Amino acid sequence: MSLKLKLIGYPIKLSLSPWIQSSFLERSGVEGSYTLHEIPSKEIFGEEMKKLREAEINGFNITVPYKETIIPYLDKIDITAERVGAVNTVSLEGNKWVGYNTDGIGYVQALRDKFPDMDKDIDVPIIILGAGGAARGIFHGLVQAGYKNLTLANRTRSKCEDITNGTSASVITLEEAEKNIAAYNVIIQTSSVGMNEAKQIIDLSNIQEGTIVSDIVYQPLVTQFLKQAGEKGGRIHYGHTMLLYQAQKAFEIWTNKKVDVHGMDEEMIAKIKGEK
Ligand code: ATR
């Protein structure tokens, strides 16, 4: 049987997901295809879902702007997707559509693969900057992985509280975060600040040497934030790996196979820089 997989969203023409998932199919020896399915407006979303049901595809990824729109069309969603309030992966199981969210757990896996010392220390102090959809996914990914010492900081405080509600995580202001940044061993930048601009959400002058600093922005790959972190002795982590690892988790849901992503990181960097 040949697997039929798709990416749904708009705009998605420049997405790296088809390249990633096609590489996974090849690497794992699974026969199938992963193609784009653009839905240019919300008005036709319902109709398109009906067509997809009829086409009996095995699974799909769903991206902006439909990660929440999809939920009422699903038969079931898993606990992480429910907590995050967004779905990025759908799998046909029996005749049911089941929704998952692999963004956060994928991201945590990317960090752990790069920094194995994170695996051993669930009490490591971690701060997340920003409180949008990406922060929500990453926060729940960290909670699910067992991390206990979590802090959120954002320009709009109430959005942090919405995310941390019911957990023991702390909420502080961006000013407090900047002042006390040396207290954190892992800093995760999830806001859009720094995307195609040389701006930083907070200054990193006071970080400790060896601090893990991650930025989910990957346009440019080396943001101003990561540049300063590197200059201050931080261990830096590029945002594009989130895309690779959420894809790895999605593929595992569809096929039960965990693909070795070795070497794909470098290829992705070349693609992002427009070299390939
Ligand atoms: P996504 O869903 O991709 O994470 P989002 O929901 O638009 O994106 O969230 C963007 C995040 O970047 C928010 O936390 C936003 O802060 P607010 O909640 O206060 O709006 C943050 N952000 C964007 N521009 C910012 C800026 N100039 N300074 C500080 N934070 C900013």
Side-chain angles (χ1 to χ4, degrees):
M1 190 189 80
S2 178
L3 272 192
K4 278 193 278 180
L5 304 169
K6 289 190 183 293
L7 172 65
I8 291 164
Y10 189 79
I12 49 176
K13 284 219 166 70
L14 296 178
S15 167
L16 286 177
S17 291
W19 170 73
I20 296 174
Q21 294 293 353
S22 304
S23 305
F24 287 176
L25 286 166
E26 206 171 296
R27 280 177 176 228
S28 61
V30 173
E31 205 188 304
S33 61
Y34 183 96
T35 52
L36 298 182
H37 186 108
E38 285 202 311
I39 302 184
S41 92
K42 270 199 174 132
E43 281 81 71
I44 59 165
F45 191 82
E47 260 166 69
E48 295 296 313
M49 290 303 107
K50 208 163 151 237
K51 282 190 217 156
L52 273 185
R53 286 265 187 186
E54 283 159 11
E56 291 186 349
I57 60 166
N58 304 88
F60 55 92
N61 283 129
I62 184 127
T63 188
V64 279
Y66 302 122
K67 287 187 183 185
E68 290 157 21
T69 320
I70 184 74
I71 294 175
Y73 296 90
L74 302 174
D75 299 300
K76 205 174 137 190
I77 66 171
D78 92 323
I79 183 75
T80 307
E82 192 178 319
R83 284 188 190 141
V84 175
V87 162
N88 78 328
T89 301
V90 175
S91 170
L92 181 69
E93 296 174 15
N95 60 354
K96 303 238 183 304
W97 273 5
V98 185
Y100 300 86
N101 191 313
T102 68
D103 287 331
I105 33 176
Y107 175 82
V108 175
Q109 189 64 49
L111 264 186
R112 285 176 137 181
D113 272 15
K114 176 135 190 213
F115 306 108
D117 50 320
M118 266 195 78
D119 257 352
K120 294 180 205 101
D121 186 7
I122 54 161
D123 290 313
V124 60
I126 302 176
I127 185 164
I128 298 174
L129 306 171
R136 188 178 279 276
I138 291 170
F139 178 78
H140 288 292
L142 289 166
V143 169
Q144 198 182 322
Y147 291 98
K148 304 223 172 312
N149 193 344
L150 305 176
T151 302
L152 253 78
N154 189 45
R155 182 173 63 182
T156 313
R157 188 183 176 98
S158 58
K159 285 203 206 163
C160 292
E161 284 157 355
D162 272 357
I163 295 176
T164 59
N165 192 11
T167 73
S168 60
S170 310
V171 172
I172 60 173
T173 63
L174 288 174
E175 292 70 28
E176 286 165 330
E178 186 170 290
K179 210 164 127 224
N180 299 320
I181 201 66
Y184 301 95
N185 295 27
V186 182
I187 303 168
I188 303 170
Q189 199 301 105
T190 72
S191 80
S192 49
V193 182
M195 195 183 294
N196 298 317
E197 57 175 14
K199 278 194 195 149
Q200 289 180 222
I201 187 159
I202 61 166
D203 178 75
L204 295 175
S205 294
N206 297 328
I207 62 166
Q208 292 191 52
E209 216 178 308
T211 302
I212 295 169
V213 182
S214 177
D215 194 339
I216 68 156
V217 171
Y218 59 88
Q219 295 287 3
L221 194 68
V222 187
T223 56
Q224 181 70 33
F225 191 78
L226 289 183
K227 190 162 167 276
Q228 191 192 20
E231 285 162 6
K232 292 287 168 187
R235 291 183 287 163
I236 64 178
H237 179 252
Y238 301 120
H240 70 284
T241 52
M242 181 170 178
L243 187 64
L244 187 58
Y245 282 80
Q246 63 75 26
Q248 185 195 41
K249 294 276 176 200
F251 192 82
E252 204 178 330
I253 289 169
W254 297 322
T255 63
N256 268 324
K257 286 179 199 274
K258 187 164 185 177
V259 200
D260 179 4
V261 297
H262 200 83
M264 289 184 70
D265 188 1
E266 293 72 21
E267 274 189 72
M268 249 180 113
I269 290 177
K271 284 190 181 290
I272 290 164
K273 289 183 177 164
E275 291 162 8
K276 276 185 114 179

